[in-house]
Amino acid sequence: MGARFERGMAFAVAAMLLSPCAISHANAPGLAPAAAIATGEASYYADRFAGRRTASGEAYDPSDFTAAHRSLPFGTRVRVTDIGSGRSVVVRINDRGPWDKGRLIDISRAAANEIGLARRGRGTVSLALAEAEEAEAGQD
């Protein structure tokens, strides 16, 4: 097998590891839990959604530390860090969205309050898979 095949194989493996499916899986092999998986704009759920069913079937509770993401599996625990303030919170994915163009994640009001996002309504955040210990604790 030549160098061309090896380069192609390396590219294929890298593409698999960096694909949304591999990154979104909470136990992705070869991906450190604390590694940032995405950076983008976050917003939070309006109170008018309280009690409505999420895509996972749960009722939305503004006091829970939950979030909506387009592709992360339900139950995945993600550390959301506000880039501006450096404050972070661990949320559990229980819904699909956000559906506004350019948004990466929608977080609950409790999570937004924790990192100071509620005052601004939206902000730039980074997402990282939460480690088991911090996922159990819920937040900092």
Side-chain angles (χ1 to χ4, degrees):
M1 309 256 157
R4 183 176 172 162
F5 175 80
E6 289 173 5
R7 279 193 308 270
M9 184 59 91
F11 178 76
V13 169
M16 287 189 318
L17 290 175
L18 296 175
S19 73
C21 291
I23 290 173
S24 67
H25 193 278
N27 298 317
L31 183 63
I37 56 174
T39 300
E41 189 169 32
S43 56
Y44 70 95
Y45 283 92
D47 288 337
R48 70 175 189 258
F49 294 111
R52 291 191 188 175
R53 295 279 167 218
T54 63
S56 68
E58 296 176 40
Y60 169 61
D61 182 349
S63 65
D64 284 346
F65 290 85
T66 56
H69 190 274
R70 287 185 191 96
S71 61
L72 289 171
F74 295 139
T76 301
R77 298 199 183 265
V78 179
R79 177 165 291 281
V80 180
T81 303
D82 184 296
I83 299 296
S85 70
R87 295 169 65 185
S88 66
V89 64
V90 174
V91 297
R92 180 177 48 83
I93 303 299
N94 74 337
D95 201 6
R96 291 291 168 237
W99 304 115
D100 289 345
K101 190 172 183 171
R103 300 269 171 86
L104 175 64
I105 192 168
D106 277 337
I107 60 177
S108 65
R109 177 173 282 284
N113 286 334
E114 188 76 17
I115 63 173
L117 189 76
R119 289 187 307 273
R120 298 186 317 269
R122 61 185 181 188
T124 304
V125 299
S126 69
L127 305 183
L129 297 177
E131 294 188 30
E133 299 81 33
E134 61 186 358
E136 288 173 13
Q139 67 212 26
D140 282 344

